[in-house]
């Protein structure tokens, strides 16, 4: 059952380099870097990167000859000469591949046997450039305990079925039936309904390869980090850069997190996973020899380009007018602010979205919008 390739923004080298930079790490410039993707499928994630950065080199490997063939045809149709898609077992990757500035393993680690997981981390160690960043995603506990409950029921039901489509159809039917038959007033029934809603929305290929893979396994963050440390690697952060907004958390949560040492990022993020019930993680790693900066100062924003998907809540907003202005975000949230220069900056960013603007230029544009009120 073919697994459709697609782009995953969290794996983009620009994101990896940015998060590494926030932690004090200087990475290879994106327009001239080497990128390796393990388990690239049909290149749906890697090909857009190769198209975007013609002077960088991209190599993808996958065990599926059909997927690699499809990806090669797509790359050839686009005239891309900076990407190679190889029909290869991850276990066959050796030192001869050279070193890469960014190595990506998305949707692989939880779905391969233990020797391949070990090999993935070994590749990170031996094929990652000294200043490189590695990305590995996996199903995570504690949230995946609920997923495992549904998986085990579905796997029992389809254990004698070999046809992939029939396995998918029967698994869906079972979970739907169990959800409807259980009591919605009891915890078990609530959990079954939640899992049925999840399974109902995934594609057939996702259900087949993710949930109905009998060898699939989930991990706690600390387990992956400890295994990575045995290979000479260290934890940077999550690829989504989900620093907690503790102002919106109950006091007990904020107190628990703030009591942890600021440089103990693994424990901090692990306890947050316990609280949030996180079920999937995308972890960034680098060589153990590199020195990380755990405290991120607000002033560092001056070194970056800024982008914001925001629009004013009202029409014809004048940032120079006193009072609070509200902006709506692309994901349905809101930002309220009464600082004139910041209102003007958000107004400009919303106008040029999705373009990113360098911080000094953003200040200039905000001043221009304010006109005589800029002083």
């Amino acid at each position: 059952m073919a697994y459709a390739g697609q782009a995953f923004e969290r794996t983009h080298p620009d994101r990896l380099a940015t998060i590494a930079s926030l932690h004090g790490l200087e990475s290879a410039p994106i327009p001239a870097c080497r990128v390796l993707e393990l388990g690239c499928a049909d290149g749906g994630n890697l090909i857009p990167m190769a198209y975007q950065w013609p002077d960088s080199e991209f190599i993808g490997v996958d065990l599926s000859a059909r997927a690699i063939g499809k990806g090669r045809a797509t790359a050839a149709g686009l005239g891309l000469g900076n990407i190679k898609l190889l029909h290869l077992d991850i276990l066959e990757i050796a030192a001869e591949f050279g070193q890469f500035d960014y190595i990506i393993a998305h949707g692989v680690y939880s779905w391969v046997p233990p020797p391949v997981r070990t090999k993935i981390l070994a590749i990170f160690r031996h094929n990652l450039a000294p200043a490189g960043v590695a990305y590995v995603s996996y199903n995570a506990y504690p949230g995946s305990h609920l997923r495992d409950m549904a998986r085990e029921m579905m796997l029992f039901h389809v254990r004698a079925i070999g046809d992939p489509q029939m396995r998918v159809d029967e698994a869906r039917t079972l979970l739907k039936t169990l959800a409807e038959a259980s009591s919605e007033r009891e915890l078990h029934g609530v959990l079954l309904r939640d899992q049925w809603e999840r399974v109902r929305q995934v594609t057939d290929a996702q259900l087949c390869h993710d949930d109905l893979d009998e060898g699939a396994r989930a991990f706690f963050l600390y387990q992956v980090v400890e295994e990575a440390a045995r290979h000479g690697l260290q934890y940077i952060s999550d690829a989504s850069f989900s620093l907690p907004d503790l102002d919106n958390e109950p006091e007990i949560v904020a107190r628990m997190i703030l009591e942890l040492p600021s440089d103990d990022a693994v424990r901090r993020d692990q306890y947050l996973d316990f609280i949030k019930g996180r079920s999937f993680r995308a972890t960034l790693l680098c060589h153990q020899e590199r020195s990380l900066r755990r405290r991120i100062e607000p002033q560092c924003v001056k070194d970056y380009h800024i982008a914001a998907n925001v629009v004013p809540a009202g029409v014809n907003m004048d940032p120079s007018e006193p009072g609070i202005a509200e902006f709506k975000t692309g994901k349905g949230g809101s930002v309220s602010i009464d600082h004139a220069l910041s209102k003007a900056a958000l107004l400009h960013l919303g106008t040029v979205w999705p373009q990113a603007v360098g911080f000094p230029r953003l200040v200039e544009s905000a001043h221009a919008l304010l006109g005589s009120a800029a002083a």
Side-chain angles (χ1 to χ4, degrees):
M1 185 171 285
Y3 203 121
Q6 65 183 84
F8 299 98
E9 65 177 36
R10 284 182 297 181
T11 71
H12 196 289
D14 193 24
R15 175 183 287 251
L16 310 190
T18 300
I19 294 178
S21 173
L22 285 167
H23 290 85
L25 302 177
E26 186 174 343
S27 304
I30 311 302
C33 66
R34 293 192 83 216
V35 180
L36 171 66
E37 183 171 17
L38 308 174
C40 67
D42 62 9
N45 187 44
L46 207 58
I47 290 172
M49 298 178 194
Y51 186 88
Q52 182 180 12
W53 302 111
D55 293 326
S56 293
E57 181 183 2
F58 299 85
I59 296 179
V61 300
D62 200 275
L63 198 58
S64 169
R66 179 171 62 170
I68 290 295
K70 180 181 177 184
R72 285 174 177 170
T74 302
L78 291 168
L80 301 180
N82 62 333
I83 183 171
K84 294 179 182 177
L85 300 178
L86 307 176
H87 176 217
L88 196 68
D89 191 318
I90 289 173
L91 293 173
E92 297 178 57
I93 294 177
E96 291 73 30
F97 267 64
Q99 293 193 322
F100 296 85
D101 302 302
Y102 304 95
I103 303 181
I104 301 162
H106 180 70
V108 180
Y109 195 82
S110 278
W111 297 272
V112 290
V116 184
R117 288 198 291 269
T118 299
K119 179 65 175 180
I120 289 172
L121 296 177
I123 291 169
F124 288 174
R125 178 59 180 178
H126 299 296
N127 295 90
L128 187 66
V133 179
Y135 166 110
V136 58
S137 65
Y138 47 91
N139 281 344
Y141 288 134
S144 279
H145 281 301
L146 304 181
R147 183 174 186 161
D148 285 350
M149 177 190 74
R151 284 185 64 242
E152 288 161 6
M153 294 175 183
M154 291 187 291
L155 285 170
F156 170 79
H157 184 63
V158 302
R159 67 192 188 282
I161 302 174
D163 179 71
Q165 188 62 57
M166 190 176 296
R167 282 169 64 86
V168 165
D169 294 342
E170 285 295 319
R172 287 192 202 276
T173 299
L174 172 76
L175 203 57
K176 182 176 185 293
T177 302
L178 293 177
E180 293 173 347
S182 61
S183 171
E184 60 184 10
R185 293 187 297 274
E186 296 181 1
L187 178 59
H188 184 64
V190 172
L191 295 178
L192 281 175
R193 283 166 173 76
D194 177 70
Q195 287 300 305
W196 161 241
E197 185 62 22
R198 177 185 67 81
V199 167
R200 184 181 67 81
Q201 297 182 53
V202 301
T203 66
D204 286 358
Q206 287 174 313
L207 184 58
C208 176
H209 295 295
D210 294 359
D211 285 78
L212 300 182
D213 179 346
E214 296 181 12
R217 240 219 90 172
F219 303 90
F220 286 102
L221 168 65
Y222 80 87
Q223 292 175 321
V224 174
V225 173
E226 288 178 356
E227 185 63 25
R230 286 189 276 272
H231 290 265
L233 303 163
Q234 64 175 322
Y235 178 66
I236 301 176
S237 77
D238 191 81
S240 63
F241 195 61
S242 53
L243 279 178
D245 182 3
L246 297 178
D247 290 339
N248 294 327
E249 298 292 345
E251 183 182 350
I252 187 173
V253 174
R255 188 166 62 246
M256 176 189 294
I257 300 305
L258 292 174
E259 285 176 353
L260 296 172
S262 59
D263 61 349
D264 196 348
V266 178
R267 268 212 304 165
R268 178 198 66 197
D269 289 357
Q270 185 61 83
Y271 280 116
L272 281 169
D273 283 2
F274 292 162
I275 294 167
K276 300 286 191 179
R278 193 161 181 172
S279 60
F280 188 80
R281 264 202 167 271
T283 293
L284 302 188
L285 302 167
C286 67
H287 289 295
Q288 243 167 19
E289 294 80 5
R290 304 192 73 188
S291 178
L292 290 171
R293 181 184 64 216
R294 289 296 179 191
R295 183 174 177 82
I296 300 173
E297 300 292 348
Q299 291 287 57
C300 79
V301 73
K302 293 182 177 180
D303 298 330
Y304 294 95
H305 284 71
I306 316 297
N309 184 8
V310 292
V311 294
V315 295
N316 300 322
M317 192 199 84
D318 183 354
S320 65
E321 290 184 359
I324 295 174
E326 183 182 6
F327 293 83
K328 298 295 184 182
T329 72
K331 292 186 176 180
S334 65
V335 178
S336 297
I337 196 162
D338 63 356
H339 182 247
L341 191 61
S342 299
K343 287 190 285 187
L346 285 175
L347 189 63
H348 178 68
L349 289 173
T351 303
V352 301
W353 169 263
Q355 179 183 340
V357 183
F359 188 86
R361 180 67 179 273
L362 178 59
V363 174
E364 290 177 8
S365 299
H367 273 125
L369 280 175
L370 288 175
S372 59

